[in-house]
Amino acid sequence: MNNFHLTLTDIVIIVAEILVVVVVGLLAARKVVRTTEGYFLASGRMPWYLIGAAFVSTSVSSEQIVGTIGATYKGGLAIANWEWWCLPTYSLMMVFFIPLYLRNKIVTVPELLNRRFGPACGAIYSSVILVGYVFIFLPPVLYGGSLTLSELTGWSQWYVLAGILILTASYTLLGGLSSVMWTDAIQCVMLIGGGVLLFFVALDKIPGGWEAMTLAAPDRFHLYRPATDEEAPFLGLILASFGVFLFYQSSNQVMVQRILSARSTWDGMMGLVFAGFINIIRPLVTCLLGLIVYHWLDVMHQGPSLLPNRQDQAFPYSLAVFAPSGLRGIILAGFFAAVMASVSALTNSVATIFSLDVYHRFWRKKAGDKELITTGQVSGGLALLIAAVVSPIVANVGMFKYFQTGVTYMATPFISVLLMGIFWKRTTYAGAVAGMLGGLVIQIALALLIWALDSKINWLYVAGMAQALTMLLIAVVSLYTTPPTTEQYKPFLWRFSWLRELEEGTQVRPWWQQVKFWFGLYAVAWCYIYWRFW
């Protein structure tokens, strides 16, 4: 990539767009009400379009762009399932989880666990999720962002990393969730707009376009992969819809916090539907570019192949080869906007959980709003520094696998407990604790067994088996322990009547504003994609 360079136009574009993000974040911070609800939940005033944009921006970062483009380069279109396979999970979230959170005025996921089961459950979640955010979520984001700019410009990766930390912390720690949400919306536009432009510019370099790529390697252009596939088995995706995918979207604080900031149930629902529409075009930014790079290098032989272990260089390679001056600046600005979006979201969630569910609950129960906000700012800043030091570990694993495997193993015990708690009233406090602790042991034991047997089984199957065993453990322990009281389980036990309240009951909206209308359109588009690329 020695031929890559940034022109003055590129640099001006990058600096201008980053400054816009920072300024918007700082302006939003000035309007934040300095209470715990105002700082950590944006006072519950966020509209649907900000929620949807933030929901997407939070989940798209360097590990999604660099890692997933690299994985698609190596494994083909089936990797796009990690981007497109949203409808099943979003459906479950809209029907079961969003009404649960909003009707019970939940602020954090640990609060839900505390109220449904008991304090130990919230403490376990807080401890594990904080460790997860610092050591599993943040490192690949920071590593991918700093690696890409370092590869392209020759700048020191540590200097780049420091710049990301300083710029993001400047508005995130000051303004809390409100700053994060407003900057996420701008970053979503920058990311999607620039990424789509790069995809079509790169595709135009391929003689015959998409059809030529399909004819050259037809086996690489299917979303369906058999159950024995090592990278993206379709059966594994179905299992994950009730496990790790459901956890990531519906009980992962960094994602849930966007929904909890909604000004109404309707805004929360419509925000999720809006995110679904954005996700239809998201693979153009995060996956499909890998197919173009593969055709360029491994079919047209326009350069040395990146296989078998250098797939993470596919994105920087495409930027160096396909993007002209000006577009390079737009793409890099969008890329770093995405990095900043994920870093700010994770930092804010670390601050929220540590301040409200650890510091306030266990150390300073009488702490006021000012003290809790300061505690959140300090804990968020420390999380950034620790994750930056840990981030080089990602290079030894590969970003895509590091992130997906880590999240899968962390998610299983929590989603098992939550599903049992909202669907089975007999689930007890002891059963939930057993599920969280025992589930972690089960997951680790299965992972070690698979490693000892040198099995190539996909990690999604391992998570599915661990989830089934964990839910069985919860059921057995619950049956042999004291059942919860009606007051403890009733507010959180899902009921069919909740479906009638999805758009806030008695308020009648015109058909073109109804959630079911827009969700139906999204579902049709989603089904077409899976029919087209099956």
Side-chain angles (χ1 to χ4, degrees), residues 103-350:
R103 69 187 290 116
N104 285 288
K105 303 185 184 304
I106 298 297
V107 176
T108 64
V109 177
E111 179 189 352
L112 170 63
L113 293 168
N114 288 334
R115 289 169 59 182
R116 171 60 180 90
F117 301 112
C121 292
I124 295 170
Y125 179 96
S126 299
S127 302
V128 174
I129 207 71
L130 286 173
V131 171
Y133 286 163
V134 175
F135 293 98
I136 296 176
F137 284 70
L138 272 170
V141 176
L142 295 171
Y143 172 78
S146 56
L147 171 69
T148 301
L149 190 56
S150 178
E151 287 274 342
L152 291 172
T153 63
W155 300 343
S156 167
Q157 187 174 357
W158 287 104
Y159 287 136
V160 175
L161 188 60
I164 293 172
L165 295 180
I166 293 170
L167 288 171
T168 307
S170 66
Y171 63 84
T172 302
L173 300 180
L174 183 62
L177 186 59
S178 182
S179 290
V180 171
M181 295 281 283
W182 278 102
T183 53
D184 277 0
I186 296 173
Q187 290 157 336
C188 182
V189 174
M190 292 165 55
L191 170 69
I192 298 298
V196 170
L197 278 175
L198 177 59
F199 171 79
F200 284 108
V201 168
L203 185 62
D204 189 56
K205 303 287 187 181
I206 305 296
W210 186 269
E211 184 177 356
M213 293 196 303
T214 305
L215 291 174
D219 290 343
R220 289 173 51 86
F221 284 79
H222 293 285
L223 289 170
Y224 173 80
R225 288 286 181 85
T228 54
D229 186 80
E230 295 181 11
E231 295 294 331
F234 203 78
L235 178 59
L237 296 173
I238 295 174
L239 292 174
S241 298
F242 302 93
V244 60
F245 293 170
L246 188 58
F247 165 82
Y248 184 80
Q249 303 289 3
S250 66
S251 49
N252 171 13
Q253 180 67 30
V254 74
M255 302 301 291
V256 170
Q257 206 158 335
R258 278 97 195 94
I259 303 297
L260 299 181
S261 69
R263 62 188 178 188
S264 68
T265 301
W266 182 87
D267 282 280
M269 295 289 184
M270 282 298 295
L272 197 60
V273 174
F274 182 45
F277 278 106
I278 298 174
N279 284 333
I280 289 177
I281 61 174
R282 197 167 94 176
L284 297 179
V285 180
T286 59
C287 291
L288 304 187
L289 196 61
L291 299 173
I292 298 176
V293 177
Y294 176 86
H295 189 85
W296 182 262
L297 295 179
D298 296 83
V299 176
M300 295 175 62
H301 304 292
Q302 297 297 307
S305 174
L306 302 178
L307 295 175
N309 328 333
R310 297 188 299 132
Q311 66 269 18
D312 283 347
Q313 294 184 21
F315 172 72
Y317 179 87
S318 67
L319 195 55
V321 172
F322 299 127
S325 175
L327 181 57
R328 289 181 181 182
I330 293 173
I331 300 302
L332 275 180
F335 175 80
F336 286 104
V339 175
M340 291 166 66
S342 282
V343 171
S344 64
L346 288 164
T347 303
N348 182 251
S349 291
V350 168

Side-chain angles (χ1 to χ4, degrees), residues 472-490:
L472 178 61
L473 173 65
I474 295 169
V476 171
V477 173
S478 294
L479 289 173
Y480 283 92
T481 51
T482 304
T485 63
T486 302
E487 292 75 18
Q488 191 172 11
Y489 75 76
K490 189 173 182 180

Side-chain angles (χ1 to χ4, degrees), residues 339-512:
V339 175
M340 291 166 66
S342 282
V343 171
S344 64
L346 288 164
T347 303
N348 182 251
S349 291
V350 168
T352 302
I353 291 178
F354 184 84
S355 183
L356 300 184
D357 293 298
V358 178
Y359 183 81
H360 190 217
R361 182 174 296 275
F362 298 106
W363 291 344
R364 287 275 293 169
K365 294 184 178 181
K366 295 183 180 181
D369 289 340
K370 183 178 180 180
E371 183 177 346
L372 291 175
I373 291 172
T374 300
T375 301
Q377 292 170 329
V378 172
S379 60
L382 287 175
L384 282 175
L385 293 176
I386 294 171
V389 173
V390 172
S391 62
I393 296 174
V394 178
N396 299 323
V397 182
M399 279 178 286
F400 183 77
K401 187 173 181 180
Y402 180 95
F403 181 77
Q404 295 294 345
T405 304
V407 173
T408 299
Y409 289 172
M410 183 180 70
T412 303
F414 296 128
I415 194 62
S416 299
V417 169
L418 283 168
L419 288 175
M420 293 291 284
I422 66 176
F423 288 116
W424 189 38
K425 66 181 182 181
R426 188 64 175 75
T427 306
T428 66
Y429 183 16
V433 172
M436 288 186 171
L437 298 179
L440 187 61
V441 172
I442 290 170
Q443 181 70 81
I444 293 173
L446 280 175
L448 291 175
L449 178 62
I450 297 300
W451 175 78
L453 296 175
D454 195 25
S455 173
K456 301 300 183 182
I457 185 172
N458 186 274
W459 66 78
L460 296 176
Y461 292 135
V462 179
M465 290 186 288
Q467 185 173 348
L469 292 173
T470 301
M471 294 177 81
L472 178 61
L473 173 65
I474 295 169
V476 171
V477 173
S478 294
L479 289 173
Y480 283 92
T481 51
T482 304
T485 63
T486 302
E487 292 75 18
Q488 191 172 11
Y489 75 76
K490 189 173 182 180
F492 309 102
L493 190 68
W494 188 84
R495 295 183 294 279
F496 188 79
S497 61
W498 287 8
L499 294 178
R500 295 193 294 270
E501 302 172 13
L502 294 185
E503 300 191 53
E504 296 185 316
T506 59
Q507 183 175 0
V508 178
R509 297 179 182 271
W511 63 269
W512 49 271

